[in-house]
Structure formats: C-alpha cells, structure tokens
Amino acid sequence: MNGQQPETPFLTLREMTVADIDAITAMDATLFGVDSWPRHMFVDELARPETRRYIIAEVSGQAGHLVMAGYAGLMCIPPIGDIQTIGVLPQYEGHGYARAMLVELIDEARRRGAQEVMLEVSSTNPRAQELYRRFGFEHIHTRRKYYRDGSDGLIMRLQLSEPHAVNTQTQETDPA
C-alpha cells in the first residue's frame, strides 16, 4: 500500500433482488434482533416494485470482492414516502453508507411524487436520529414502547417542498 489508499472502501448501491433475501434476512436479524423482519416480509416487499424500492450497499472487500454492508427500503404512495428500513453492519458504520442510502431513497421518493418522507427510529438509536436530523427530518410523534425491547418509536418527517432539498455536498465538512 502506498499510503494514499482511501480509508473508506469503495461503495456501490444496487437494487435488492430475490437472490439477496436470505442474506438480507440474516443481516436484519443481526441488526434488529427481536424486531427483525421474517423472510416473507422481504419477499412481499420486493414483489411490489410499483410502490417499493429496496437497495443494497456493497463495499470492496478482500481481493476486490463486493461485500454487503447494509440495505434500505422505501415504500412510496404519493404524496408520502416511507423509509421502511435502513441498516448498516456495525463494522461498516461511520463511513457514510447509511447517508448514501438515505440520499438515494429520498431522491427516489421525490422521483415518485412524494411531498414528504416519513420514517420511524428507535429512541435508543441516537446515531440514526442525528443522521435524520441533519437531513431535516423532524420528530413529530412518539409511539410509546413500540419496539419489543420496550423502547419508543420516534416518528420523523421530512418535507420535500423543494427539488433537491437534500444536498450531500453540504452535509459534511471536507478537512482538506
């Protein structure tokens, strides 16, 4: 290595396919435990492309092979888009992969005619809450003891009143 290699592995976003379901179901169980989705929910979601879009974040691994780092999904029935799930494996957190998937799903909601995007996040996940706030999501409601572990579900909303309201170029400060 020449010391000029990027610290973050190369990221690719691609469409989730039926062939990914077993791996994604296992990843979901790792990330969300008792609140993970059963396999049939992913099957059902992928069977509705007219209102759903699911993506996978892959990063370059050893020997240049792509490795699944995370996944995310959107349901959009205008005027509302709803981020159904977003998750990144712990070893890949902090590299902007969740942010990249969030940008893609917000853009997809806009393309499909959404005027707002909703999501739900656990009250015990401050890192995700902060990401969503940086994008302009506002906490609008709390579902008490919503999750099986007893934590609250925070409902957040992003208004999409302006085209290209999310500008990823201004979300981070470049130290260079």
Side-chain angles (χ1 to χ4, degrees):
M1 301 284 164
N2 61 14
Q4 295 180 351
Q5 295 288 334
E7 290 183 28
T8 302
F10 178 73
L11 172 68
T12 301
L13 296 179
R14 68 168 176 84
E15 301 301 314
M16 186 185 293
T17 69
V18 173
D20 297 315
I21 290 176
D22 289 336
I24 294 302
T25 301
M27 187 183 299
D28 198 62
T30 298
L31 293 172
F32 298 110
V34 297
D35 288 305
S36 64
W37 287 9
R39 185 181 191 284
H40 74 85
M41 286 185 70
F42 287 107
V43 171
D44 291 347
E45 289 293 290
L46 289 182
R48 297 184 174 112
E50 66 282 353
T51 58
R52 310 295 200 274
R53 180 164 182 229
Y54 281 77
I55 58 176
I56 292 178
E58 292 182 320
V59 296
S60 54
Q62 293 180 345
H65 297 291
L66 292 177
V67 178
M68 288 184 194
Y71 61 96
L74 171 77
M75 174 179 71
C76 188
I77 302 172
I80 298 172
D82 194 308
I83 295 182
Q84 300 290 296
T85 187
I86 187 165
V88 174
L89 288 170
Q91 63 266 36
Y92 298 108
E93 289 179 353
H95 296 289
Y97 304 149
R99 179 182 48 79
M101 290 187 292
L102 185 60
V103 167
E104 181 61 28
L105 293 184
I106 291 169
D107 287 348
E108 181 70 15
R110 187 177 280 114
R111 284 189 294 270
R112 290 181 181 228
Q115 295 173 7
E116 62 185 23
V117 176
M118 308 288 288
L119 59 79
E120 185 174 85
V121 61
S122 174
S123 61
T124 63
N125 192 344
R127 186 177 199 158
Q129 292 170 46
E130 179 56 29
L131 172 66
Y132 303 142
R133 277 193 291 274
R134 284 194 315 253
F135 275 79
F137 281 86
E138 297 176 311
H139 175 209
I140 60 168
H141 182 71
T142 299
R143 291 182 175 158
R144 301 283 177 215
K145 299 186 186 222
Y146 178 76
Y147 293 101
R148 292 181 198 160
D149 68 1
S151 64
D152 296 340
L154 308 180
I155 309 299
M156 301 182 82
R157 176 180 60 206
L158 173 67
Q159 297 290 336
L160 296 179
S161 57
E162 299 176 24
H164 309 295
V166 176
N167 182 347
T168 59
Q169 301 302 316
T170 60
Q171 294 298 319
E172 296 181 336
T173 303
D174 185 11

